[in-house]
Amino acid sequence: MQSSRLVPLRVARTCALVVLSVSAAISAQTVEHFSPQGEVKVVRQVTARFAQPMVPFGDPREVDPFIIDCTEKGAGRWADSKNWVYDFARDLPAGVRCSFTLKAGLQDLAGAALPAGQRFDFSTGGPAIVRSLPYEGNRIDENQVFILGLDAPVKPETVTAHAHCVAAGINEEIGVRLVTGPERRTILDNRKSFAASYLRVLFLDGGDGRTRGLAFRLPVTGSDQDKFLRLRDAPDSPLVTLACARTLPAGAEVKLVWGKEIAATTGVTTTAAQALAFKVRPTFRASFTCERVNKDAQCIPILPLTLSFTAPVARADAAKIRLVDAAGKSYAARLPKDSDGNGIETVTFGPGLPERQQFRIEIPDNLKDDAGRMLANARSFPLKLRTDENPPLVKFAADFGILERVLPGGEAPLLPVTVRNVEPVLPGQLAAVREPAKAAAARDAPIPGQVLQVKRGDEMQIVAWLRRLSLANKIDREY
């Protein structure tokens, strides 16, 4: 009897649990979908879809079902009976946090009360790097100062706390230091190219032609440089200048890490690290190269001798480099004409230097590169070198040519050839070109040939021959 009474009780409890579960599921699905949530960089609209119809279809009322906590303004509307849309007045800038909480006393279309307090949050993230100078992937100096253009103003103390450098060969994170005051102003004043590129990114967002939403005031009048300078000095400036806290090793791979927890002035922080990769330029050194017949030979004097630097030097200093022979005769260095600015990375001597001569390359005292670094291998100078004799040469003027049949004065045509440093007496044969009718009698000639006559008015045949020969040579080289 006791067992039979327990069965209905268990069934009743099970039914009650099912009812409660269904009720909880319905409550949990009051808002079936809400977007955006979490961290989203570009936000212009919020959408919410309810599980039950909330308003009659086509109801024009703009009744917001949420309590909205957001610094950015907007307006809500019902797209249909279940879908509610909130449009912001502009694309939200970085550093914005918004929350949408379901209002108390809200009822669906059937009159059923919705549980209050359901909340949805999103942010547009902390300040991110949108432009940097040097650009990612470029070479940098051992004590490089980086210019970072952000999408939101930043709290400086969070930068020094959470940004760092990583360098190959150094088994620890390297902190950063902020560059401020006159040094910062001087650096930014002289970076016009960065000013234009950064402003271009701010004004145009992603190629769709819309102006990017900003959390700071952007000057709208004046040249790019004027706008940039006003932005530089603004209290909410999004420009950061910083450097790694120690000298970086030459030639090392380096990353500048914009870490987590860097905060915008609004308090919104970054949730993921952003890393920019660079490579430190090598030590300032000079190297000498020249063409040789083989690895044991000396420099070929008819070709240029080259002195190269791993970093640019001032043009005035490069012009003082000299090549001096054993008798004291000096040869000035040849400087490239198309070098950018005043920086020179390569100078040459020659061609056409004397054969089998001893030389030395002299450089100015205390030669420095554009960053003020002393030449690391300065002790190698004056650098001694020697020229060899010019290599042997037998060279025709071209692969193909046309000789006139008879020169003025009745002289036979000659084929020019350049000969250098070969046998004292170079044997050769001169072959006479026979007329076609006499070809059979000229079979013993070393180089038999034919004479063809171009009639007056058919001179373009010569051009056609040259084109066919050029095409044949091209096909042969490509094959």
Side-chain angles (χ1 to χ4, degrees):
M1 295 295 291
Q2 184 179 3
S3 175
S4 63
R5 283 197 298 268
L6 290 174
V7 172
L9 181 59
R10 289 175 180 169
V11 172
R13 287 176 178 174
T14 302
C15 292
L17 290 173
V18 171
V19 171
L20 290 173
S21 299
V22 171
S23 177
I26 292 174
S27 298
Q29 294 181 1
T30 298
V31 178
E32 289 183 326
H33 176 77
F34 189 95
S35 176
Q37 295 186 68
E39 182 177 317
V40 183
K41 268 297 180 185
V42 179
V43 177
R44 186 63 180 261
Q45 187 182 77
V46 171
T47 60
R49 185 175 68 244
F50 288 80
Q52 304 86 20
M54 299 296 294
V55 295
F57 182 75
D59 192 332
R61 291 177 298 170
E62 297 182 356
V63 179
D64 294 335
F66 296 95
I67 298 173
I68 302 170
D69 182 12
C70 188
T71 57
E72 295 290 324
K73 303 301 181 182
R77 57 186 172 83
W78 287 96
D80 55 37
S81 61
K82 289 186 177 182
N83 291 283
W84 177 80
V85 175
Y86 188 83
D87 293 306
F88 287 101
R90 63 169 183 166
D91 290 345
L92 299 191
V96 174
R97 181 182 287 113
C98 299
S99 68
F100 289 70
T101 306
L102 206 60
K103 290 180 178 178
L106 193 65
Q107 295 181 346
D108 63 17
L109 187 60
L114 275 64
Q118 193 173 5
R119 177 171 170 165
F120 303 92
D121 299 280
F122 71 87
S123 80
T124 53
I129 302 170
V130 297
R131 214 61 166 175
S132 70
L133 190 72
Y135 301 119
E136 184 176 10
N138 283 6
R139 282 190 174 186
I140 60 174
D141 185 69
E142 296 93 328
N143 296 290
Q144 182 70 50
V145 175
F146 299 92
I147 304 176
L148 305 180
L150 309 179
D151 59 3
V154 67
K155 292 183 178 180
E157 64 274 13
T158 64
V159 175
T160 53
H162 301 291
H164 61 273
C165 299
V166 178
I170 299 179
N171 298 323
E172 61 181 2
E173 293 182 354
I174 304 170
V176 298
R177 65 176 181 88
L178 293 176
V179 177
T180 59
E183 183 181 3
R184 165 189 160 88
R185 288 194 296 272
T186 300
I187 291 171
L188 293 179
D189 283 348
N190 292 282
R191 295 299 183 268
K192 295 181 180 180
S193 61
F194 178 77
S197 64
Y198 176 57
L199 291 172
R200 194 177 304 116
V201 171
L202 295 184
F203 278 123
L204 295 180
D205 182 15
D208 59 3
R210 294 191 307 182
T211 301
R212 178 188 290 268
L214 302 173
F216 49 89
R217 295 179 180 177
L218 186 66
V220 295
T221 59
S223 66
D224 286 349
Q225 181 68 1
D226 292 337
K227 295 175 186 176
F228 187 75
L229 294 181
R230 291 204 298 273
L231 194 62
R232 178 201 69 183
D233 300 325
D236 58 349
S237 175
L239 301 173
V240 172
T241 49
L242 56 78
C244 301
R246 60 168 290 179
T247 300
L248 301 171
E253 301 283 346
V254 172
K255 286 185 179 180
L256 173 62
V257 181
W258 189 256
K260 299 180 182 179
E261 304 301 325
I262 295 178
T265 52
T266 58
V268 179
T269 61
T270 55
T271 58
Q274 183 180 1
L276 303 179
F278 304 94
K279 186 171 183 178
V280 183
R281 62 181 180 178
T283 304
F284 178 42
R285 301 178 64 88
S287 60
F288 171 77
T289 57
C290 67
E291 296 291 335
R292 306 169 190 267
V293 174
N294 56 62
K295 65 181 183 65
D296 298 320
Q298 303 299 326
C299 297
I300 299 176
I302 60 171
L303 296 176
L305 281 57
T306 304
L307 183 66
S308 302
F309 300 98
T310 56
V313 300
R315 176 174 286 271
D317 291 337
K320 297 176 183 178
I321 300 174
R322 291 289 185 269
L323 180 70
V324 184
D325 63 15
K329 182 179 178 180
S330 177
Y331 299 82
R334 296 175 181 267
L335 308 185
K337 296 180 180 179
D338 56 350
S339 60
D340 296 332
N342 293 322
I344 301 295
E345 297 186 10
T346 301
V347 301
T348 59
F349 302 96
L353 296 171
E355 299 179 86
R356 297 183 295 274
Q357 292 289 323
Q358 186 77 38
F359 292 92
R360 66 181 185 273
I361 297 178
E362 298 179 349
I363 62 173
D365 294 336
N366 300 321
L367 182 64
K368 299 179 181 179
D369 68 359
D370 58 347
R373 299 182 299 173
M374 299 295 296
L375 191 66
N377 58 339
R379 291 185 177 181
S380 301
F381 293 86
L383 181 67
K384 295 182 180 181
L385 61 100
R386 187 176 181 83
T387 55
D388 214 328
E389 66 177 5
N390 287 321
L393 176 70
V394 177
K395 181 180 179 181
F396 291 94
D399 294 338
F400 174 82
I402 298 176
L403 301 180
E404 295 185 18
R405 180 181 178 188
V406 178
L407 295 176
E411 298 180 1
L414 299 177
L415 181 64
V417 59
T418 302
V419 179
R420 183 183 66 216
N421 286 354
V422 291
E423 292 83 353
V425 178
L426 187 64
Q429 292 178 323
L430 181 64
V433 179
R434 308 292 183 181
E435 295 288 346
K438 302 178 181 179
R443 289 175 182 173
D444 296 334
I447 308 176
Q450 291 183 337
V451 175
L452 298 179
Q453 183 177 2
V454 178
K455 297 181 180 179
R456 185 183 300 275
D458 291 340
E459 291 84 358
M460 291 303 296
Q461 290 185 21
I462 300 176
V463 177
W465 294 341
L466 293 175
R467 287 177 177 172
R468 292 174 62 186
L469 180 66
S470 175
L471 178 62
N473 287 338
K474 180 179 179 181
I475 294 174
D476 182 63
R477 285 193 295 270
E478 291 179 350
Y479 178 79

